Amino acid sequence: MISDDIGVVAIGRNEGERLIACLASIKSETNNVVYVDSGSTDGSAAAAEKLGAFVINLDLTRPFTAARARNEGFTALKALKPEICFAQFIDGDCVLAQAWLDTAIAFMKQRKDVAVVSGRLRERHPTASVYNQLCDFEWDTPIGEAVACGGNALVRVEAFEAAGGFKPQMIAGEEPELCLRLRERGWKIWRLDAEMGLHDAAMTRFSPWWVRSVRCGYAMAEVSQLHST
C-alpha cells in the first residue's frame, strides 16, 4: 500500500541498525515519513535521510521527551502533507508488520468514533532474557475497546489535533494521558486482533528494567495528578 492519506512519525536516539530496519518496514507502506532524532551520535539522522525520511533534529537546549519528539514530528508531517487523515507513530526500535496499516485504516474508516487503534506488538527476542519476556507480556493487551495505547499506534489526525497532541513535558505516560483526554471528548480507543509489529527491547540486565519501572511508576503518578478531581 502506498497511500497519501497516511503518514508515519518515527522517533529515536542511537538506534543504529534497529532504526534502519524500522524505516525499511515503513517504505512499502507510505512515502510520507518523518524521523525525529533526539541527539543521536551514531549517524541515525543521516541514515534516516538516506532512506528517504524527512529528518528533524530536536533542539539540544530543551529536554528530550518522546512526547515532544512525536509532537514535533507530527507538526512537520502535517506541514509536508496537510491532507493526511491518519498518522502512525512508531519507535525507532520497532518494525511495522506488513499488513498492519491496511488493517488499521480499514477499521478506522468503518468506525468513525475511534481516535486511536493499536494491535499486537511482540518482542523480537522474547526468550533472550526475563526482561524481554516481561515486555512481551506487557504488549499483549486485551482485544477490543481499550482505555489507552502505547507509543506505537495509529491516530486519527482530526482527533489528535483537536486534543492538542501529547503533553510534551511528560517524561513517560504521555500515551495514556492523551487517550484519557480523547475519551473525555467522546472518542474511543481500540486494540485490534492483528499483528502490529516487533519491538526490540534488547534488555538483558536488571538496571535498565528498574529504570524503566521507575519511569512507569512516575508516569502513573503524574497522570493521576494531572487529572485528579
Side-chain angles (χ1 to χ4, degrees):
M1 175 191 76
I2 297 288
S3 174
D4 253 358
D5 66 351
I6 181 169
V8 177
V9 175
I11 64 171
R13 182 181 187 188
N14 291 331
E15 298 296 351
E17 292 298 320
R18 296 191 297 186
L19 176 65
I20 292 171
C22 171
L23 296 176
S25 74
I26 297 166
K27 281 184 69 176
S28 63
E29 306 299 317
T30 179
N31 293 319
N32 307 326
V33 182
V34 172
Y35 168 64
V36 185
D37 190 84
S38 297
S40 290
T41 56
D42 66 349
S44 285
E49 200 165 44
K50 196 171 181 179
L51 285 168
F54 182 84
V55 175
I56 295 175
N57 291 286
L58 290 184
D59 180 355
L60 301 177
T61 64
R62 295 170 53 203
F64 295 139
T65 66
R68 175 191 164 203
R70 293 190 185 110
N71 279 350
E72 293 198 24
F74 178 82
T75 299
L77 182 63
K78 274 304 296 285
L80 290 168
K81 291 289 179 180
E83 70 277 12
I84 62 166
C85 302
F86 308 101
Q88 173 75 39
F89 290 103
I90 187 168
D91 294 338
D93 57 2
C94 299
V95 297
L96 208 61
Q98 191 170 18
W100 166 247
L101 288 179
D102 282 333
T103 301
I105 291 171
F107 179 82
M108 292 279 262
K109 286 181 175 178
Q110 277 188 323
R111 291 292 304 266
K112 305 294 187 184
D113 57 336
V114 173
V116 182
V117 66
S118 61
R120 177 62 161 106
L121 187 66
R122 297 182 188 274
E123 274 304 314
R124 182 180 288 279
H125 304 292
T127 60
S129 71
V130 65
Y131 311 111
N132 281 8
Q133 195 165 37
L134 287 169
C135 284
D136 196 61
F137 291 154
E138 183 182 329
W139 309 145
D140 193 11
T141 56
I143 295 162
E145 189 171 354
V147 297
C149 69
N152 298 275
L154 181 75
V155 303
R156 190 182 300 274
V157 166
E158 170 196 355
F160 184 80
E161 288 184 313
F166 297 105
K167 288 192 178 297
Q169 73 274 19
M170 296 188 71
I171 64 167
E174 68 278 1
E175 307 97 336
E177 194 281 328
L178 170 64
C179 289
L180 193 156
R181 285 184 282 119
L182 286 167
R183 288 188 287 109
E184 287 177 343
R185 290 169 170 267
W187 292 100
K188 296 186 183 300
I189 316 300
W190 214 270
R191 154 68 153 93
L192 297 181
D193 184 13
E195 297 296 314
M196 181 172 62
L198 292 173
H199 176 262
D200 191 2
M203 201 177 295
T204 58
R205 295 177 296 112
F206 175 74
S207 55
W209 173 259
W210 176 249
V211 170
R212 183 178 185 275
S213 299
V214 170
R215 284 169 60 88
C216 288
Y218 181 90
M220 290 178 65
E222 187 173 18
V223 173
S224 297
Q225 183 182 44
L226 280 170
H227 294 277
S228 59
T229 55

